[in-house]
Each structure stands twice: as C-alpha cells, then as structure tokens.
Amino acid sequence: MRYMMLVKMAPDAGPPPVALMEAVEGEIRQQYADGILLDADGLGPGLEIRLTAGEVTHVDGPFAEAKEVAGGFSLFEVRSHDEAAELGRRMVQLHEELWPGQDVAVEMRPLVGPPAPAE
Amino acid sequence: MSSGPLRPDPEEAIVAVWRNESVRLLAGLARMTHDLDLAEDLAQDALVAALEQWPHEGIPRNPGAWLMSIAKRRAIDGFRRDEVLRRKVALVGHELEEGEMPDLAAAVDYIEDDVLRLMFLSCHPALAPDSRTVLTLRLVGGLTTAEIARAYFAKESAVGQRISRAKRTLAEGGASFELPVGEERAARLREVMQTIYLVFNEGYAATSGPSWTRPELCLEGMRLARMLAALAPGDPEAQALQGLLEIQGSRLAARADAEGSPVLLEDQDRTRWDQLLLRRGLAAVDRAKALASSGTPGGSYLVQAMIAACHGRARTPDQTDWAEMARLYDVLAAAAPGAVIEVNRAVAHGRAFGPDAGLAILAAIPDGALAGSHLPAGVRGDLLHRAGRHVEAAAAFEEAAAATANAEEQELLQKRAAACRNDDSSSDA
C-alpha cells in the first residue's frame, strides 16, 4: 500500500538546521536502499486558489496566514499502516532531536488507488 | 478523529520497527557470526527483548542500533559460555568485542555490503530455485514463514522445512560469507536477479491458487529489485531488472478483468496502467542503457526491459513501434535462444513486416519444441487471419483450442476460429 508523507510546519519556520537536513538525507538514502521510497520532493510556496461562499480568491505564497504548510512530500510503498506510522514517527523524532523548539506535523496519508475494474 | 499515543498496541508498533530493521540487523549479524542460524537466533533474542522493554520504555531513538547492541551482547555472552562455539568461529569473537556499535546512519555503505552478502547467500547456487525464493523472502524480504506460505498457497510447515533445509545446505556446504569479486560476483548477481524475477513472476502469473495474479508477490519482487539496483548502481542488468519489473508491475491492475480472468496486453485499458511505476520503470531502463553504452554490457534483462518499455511508451496498441520490437526480439533470440522467444519474435515480425515474415519464423520452430502449448498455433492463427487465409486460420485456432486446458482460453480461441470461418464465407459471397 502506498502512503504519502507530508511534513508540515509554520510558514515562517525558516530553513532547517544543516544537521537536520543531513539526517533527513540519510533517512531518504536508507528508504531508497530499502526499496520503499517511490518518490520525494520539496514543495515551493506556489499559490492557492480558494472558493469560499461562492467567491474565488487567489493567494500567492508564501502563505503567511496559514497555520502550517507542507514543505515536501515522500511517497512510500509499505506493507502495513504500522510501517507507515513508523516512518512518520522517525521523521518527527529527527525534528525533535535536531531542530529543538520547532513544532512539526507529519501526515501519513494512504493513497486510495484507482477503482476496481467496472463490474 | 482521535488523539493519544501513536499506536495503542505496542506489539504492532514493534513488529513495524522490526520490519524496517530486521534485514540490516540480520545481515550484520550474519557477517559477524558467519552462521545464519545463530544470526537469526540472536536477531530473535533482540526482538524478544524489544517486546519486553519497549512497551514500558518506549521505542528507542535509534531502534536499529538498540536491537544490534542487544544482539551483540547476547552473542558475546553466548561465546563466553560456549568454548566450542567460540573456537569454531574464533574471528567472530574478535569482531564482536571490537567495541562500539557503528552508527547505523553513518555506516550505510557498510550495511549495504552486509545486505548484498545476505542476498548472495540466500540465492546461493547450491540451493534449488524454489529454496532460493523462500529463503530470500524470509531473510532479505523479512517475511514470516506464515506470510510466505500464504503467498505461495503452501503449507506453513512445508515452507518452514524448506527454509531450514536450505540453511542446512548452506552450512554443510561451507557457503562463503565473503563478498565474491570479479567474474564470480557477476555470476552470483545473475543468480540473485533470477531469484527476484521468479518471485515477481509467480505473482504476475500464478502457477497455483485461485487467482491469476498475486500482487503481493509482485510488490515483494519489485521491492527486492529496487534494493538490488541500489546495491549495484553500476550494473546495467540490475537497473534493467528493476525497470522490467516496474513496467510489468504497472500493468497489474489492467491485467485481470472484474471476474479475475486474464486480459492480454493488446486488450488492456492502458489508462489503468500505473503511471508512477511506468515512469520509474522507464527511468530505470534509461539508466541501464546509459550504463550499457558506457562500458559494462547489458544482457537479457536489458533487452526484455527495452521490450517492456516499447510497449509501455505506446499509448495505444497501434502506436507500438513494431520494427523496434522486432529488432529487440532478434537480439534476445540471439542471446537466449528458445522456442517461446521465437513465437514472440514471430508476432513482432508479423506486425512489423507483414504476416508472412511472422509465419516464416513460426515455420522454423522445430516440431515438438513447444509440445502441449497452444501458443504457436494461436499465433499462427492470428498471422494467417491477418494474411486473409481464413480457412487455415480457423484450423490453427481450433488446434490451439484443443491444446489448452484453460476453459476461458478455449472459449476465446473457439470464438476466433468461428469468426475466421465467418470471414471466409462472407469473402466467398
């Protein structure tokens, strides 16, 4: 089963410490060597187009008012929900250890996949 | 929505951690002890310790290092108690006493060597292919005996016996725990690739059980192929195998209809192909081609992967580059001659250069080379039909129908025979 990991934090968090970036790179190398990482990339500020009560608005990033934004994603092929949870736990742990004081939210979202063949 | 502890059941959490760590743990222990059974025992000891301690103390920051230090401590205790064991593997004591556990994150290369060593062992030429697949799934894939048995529709006890027999064979034959070099390394890599291919293929076209495909074996095969490709980044065949399996794997969802019956490549709904796997597979094939053109020659996996890529790039069957396909099958037939490849070569040449070109290749296959297979007669029927020789085509399809035991295939071939007879009478009119 496939899981997308989104690492989210405050939009004004600034660049992560070098030690954290190196640790995350090591983690990515390991996931790649384990054959479970299918895709990964960072996400830029971009723009948001929102429909609220019938009104369309555009917001160009960075999204200063947002509570948290995703800075990147990884796509995994794992064998269970628990394996996905473990990957997420490790990512949070690296932040706790190497970026003290910074809040972070790691989302692990299962990909639903295409529908079954038409009956 | 709920909040609270990450995982309410600590045992499930530990099993998940174990999944992530067991291969590297086992691979490291195997290198240190030169004894697969002992390595597995030590790894199990570490797992038991985790099950005892983690529910109270939480999962440690670096679970891999924690498990390894427990296993090493147990090993040292064992060696101190057991003089015989100690003498038997004298060098091991030295390595174990060496002191500090290396930082797992900092020692990826070292660990990768360990994992490759474990792959070479579990795909050892002294083992039968069936034993290699189950041992690889167990040791490198980290699957339990029960999971392997389920995947192969086999009895758990039978799989268990096969695994212990395989380990005994390796121990008694004195299988080396060293990494082979030079020509031997290349030969052993081919054994590993063949084993991974077998795992995938059993999932792609199951030889037993109720369903035509077993996606879980395909997933394991793809994962193992990715591991190998990462371990042997300079080897075009390892990259090609990953590409081949990912491109074929991308078609899994399109490969069976709602009833679970096979859907052949040309009839598949290509919008159901998994674009991510296809893209990854095509990229792996490009890597393999680049490596092959800059020195290390590619082999049959590269040609097969290029054939798969040729299908993968065609948005519709009509867009297939059949001339390229015919060329690739010529290369494959020269490298790995065989009747099945000749039949496929006949299809490609028939599409690229007209039915007669294909029929000529079919005619050259020795009688009886594919005895009992409906494949040559079915392809002959298709080529004759395309050539407008409807009566002969109908006879070929009937011959093919008689040769298959699969009821659905039989029905399909009979239908094609009837359609040919119909075409014949309408062309007479």
Side-chain angles (χ1 to χ4, degrees):
Chain A
M1 55 188 83
R2 287 187 188 162
Y3 272 80
M4 180 167 283
M5 177 166 81
L6 294 167
V7 181
K8 307 198 302 186
M9 58 190 74
D12 58 357
V18 173
L20 175 61
M21 280 160 80
E22 282 172 0
V24 169
E25 271 167 32
E27 189 79 358
I28 288 172
R29 265 203 307 279
Q30 192 61 69
Q31 292 157 352
Y32 172 75
D34 285 346
I36 59 172
L37 182 68
L38 299 183
D39 205 356
D41 215 332
L43 297 170
L47 79 158
E48 188 181 73
I49 304 158
R50 184 180 282 275
L51 173 66
T52 310
E55 204 176 325
V56 176
T57 51
H58 297 221
V59 182
D60 285 319
F63 309 102
E65 310 87 77
K67 216 171 87 204
E68 52 191 20
V69 291
F73 76 91
S74 300
L75 191 56
F76 298 106
E77 180 77 65
V78 291
R79 286 182 283 212
S80 70
H81 177 77
D82 284 304
E83 284 185 46
E86 172 59 16
L87 291 167
R89 186 194 67 83
R90 289 171 82 116
M91 185 54 79
V92 170
Q93 180 192 308
L94 286 180
H95 282 76
E96 182 184 16
E97 211 170 301
L98 299 169
W99 199 354
Q102 178 62 52
D103 289 347
V104 64
V106 171
E107 248 182 79
M108 301 299 299
R109 305 282 297 271
L111 270 64
V112 177
E119 296 293 317
Chain B
M1 208 170 104
S2 72
S3 61
L6 177 54
R7 277 163 301 195
D9 182 348
E11 264 193 40
E12 281 176 18
I14 293 163
V15 169
V17 175
W18 178 252
R19 284 270 208 209
N20 283 333
E21 303 297 341
S22 71
V23 186
R24 295 187 288 275
L25 181 64
L26 189 60
L29 290 167
R31 168 176 47 78
M32 290 181 242
T33 61
H34 285 214
D35 183 327
L36 271 181
D37 268 326
L38 181 57
E40 272 205 297
D41 285 349
L42 292 170
Q44 287 294 327
D45 281 354
L47 174 61
V48 170
L51 286 166
E52 283 166 5
Q53 295 184 32
W54 293 359
H56 313 293
E57 297 164 12
I59 298 174
R61 289 188 168 241
N62 188 341
W66 190 95
L67 289 164
M68 183 59 101
S69 69
I70 292 283
K72 282 178 81 169
R73 205 178 308 147
R74 297 282 156 104
I76 292 165
D77 290 350
F79 284 123
R80 286 194 180 131
R81 272 199 308 272
D82 190 337
E83 263 310 306
V84 184
L85 193 60
R86 192 173 192 172
R87 252 180 284 127
K88 202 173 111 196
V89 270
L91 85 167
V92 172
H94 165 70
E95 258 196 83
L96 287 168
E97 303 272 17
E98 240 168 30
E100 284 308 292
M101 174 62 208
D103 177 3
L104 279 183
V108 168
D109 291 343
Y110 195 50
I111 291 159
E112 284 179 357
D113 275 358
D114 286 348
V115 174
L116 187 59
R117 200 178 272 122
L118 195 60
M119 280 188 172
F120 281 137
L121 268 180
S122 56
C123 301
H124 198 277
L127 302 174
D130 283 359
S131 301
R132 292 180 206 168
T133 53
V134 293
L135 198 60
T136 301
L137 286 171
R138 168 67 181 271
L139 300 183
V140 186
L143 265 61
T144 64
T145 307
E147 287 169 325
I148 298 169
R150 215 162 37 239
Y152 280 96
F153 283 88
K155 281 210 180 80
E156 195 177 331
S157 58
V159 173
Q161 276 169 16
R162 193 171 266 282
I163 289 170
S164 19
R165 261 207 310 275
K167 284 194 288 193
R168 204 159 55 233
T169 304
L170 291 178
E172 284 166 3
S176 169
F177 282 73
E178 299 311 318
L179 276 174
V181 291
E183 184 42 45
E184 202 206 335
R185 183 179 192 272
R188 297 287 296 279
L189 267 177
R190 282 195 292 276
E191 309 273 9
V192 175
M193 290 184 217
Q194 191 203 26
T195 303
I196 294 172
Y197 188 76
L198 280 176
V199 169
F200 179 88
N201 232 19
E202 181 60 23
Y204 205 54
T207 54
S208 63
S211 47
W212 153 244
T213 61
R214 291 207 215 113
E216 71 277 20
L217 279 176
C218 291
L219 289 173
E220 289 304 327
M222 283 189 278
R223 196 166 65 81
L224 290 167
R226 285 181 204 123
M227 287 174 79
L228 184 67
L231 290 169
D235 188 298
E237 285 287 89
Q239 308 305 313
L241 178 67
Q242 184 201 321
L244 174 64
L245 300 194
E246 287 187 325
I247 295 171
Q248 292 191 331
S250 77
R251 302 185 201 133
L252 262 178
R255 212 159 178 263
D257 64 16
E259 282 77 44
S261 310
V263 181
L264 298 178
L265 185 60
E266 290 207 29
D267 303 323
Q268 287 172 10
D269 174 357
R270 295 185 180 210
T271 62
R272 295 181 58 79
W273 287 358
D274 185 320
Q275 294 301 311
L276 174 63
L277 282 179
L278 181 56
R279 182 158 51 79
R280 286 179 52 90
L282 292 174
V285 175
D286 286 343
R287 278 202 305 279
K289 277 159 73 177
L291 285 168
S293 64
S294 68
T296 331
S300 72
Y301 287 120
L302 179 53
V303 185
Q304 290 182 71
M306 286 167 73
I307 289 169
C310 208
H311 283 302
R313 276 190 294 265
R315 304 235 161 211
T316 64
D318 295 344
Q319 288 173 11
T320 309
D321 184 349
W322 285 109
E324 166 76 351
M325 207 71 100
R327 188 188 70 77
L328 290 168
Y329 271 112
D330 289 348
V331 176
L332 192 60
V340 173
I341 287 171
E342 285 303 299
V343 173
N344 285 306
R345 200 163 76 85
V347 173
H349 278 256
R351 295 292 164 85
F353 312 117
D356 289 343
L359 287 167
I361 292 170
L362 276 186
I365 300 176
D367 282 343
L370 281 168
S373 165
H374 65 283
L375 210 61
V379 170
R380 198 167 67 242
D382 185 69
L383 290 166
L384 287 165
H385 176 64
R386 282 167 193 273
R389 291 153 69 178
H390 301 303
V391 177
E392 293 164 85
F397 282 129
E398 274 154 15
E399 187 189 328
T404 178
N406 183 305
E408 275 162 16
E409 257 162 6
Q410 225 162 46
E411 195 188 318
L412 185 81
L413 290 161
Q414 293 288 8
K415 257 189 213 156
R416 294 204 66 182
C420 286
R421 296 213 181 282
N422 207 19
D423 284 352
D424 181 56
S425 49
S426 56
S427 61
D428 284 348

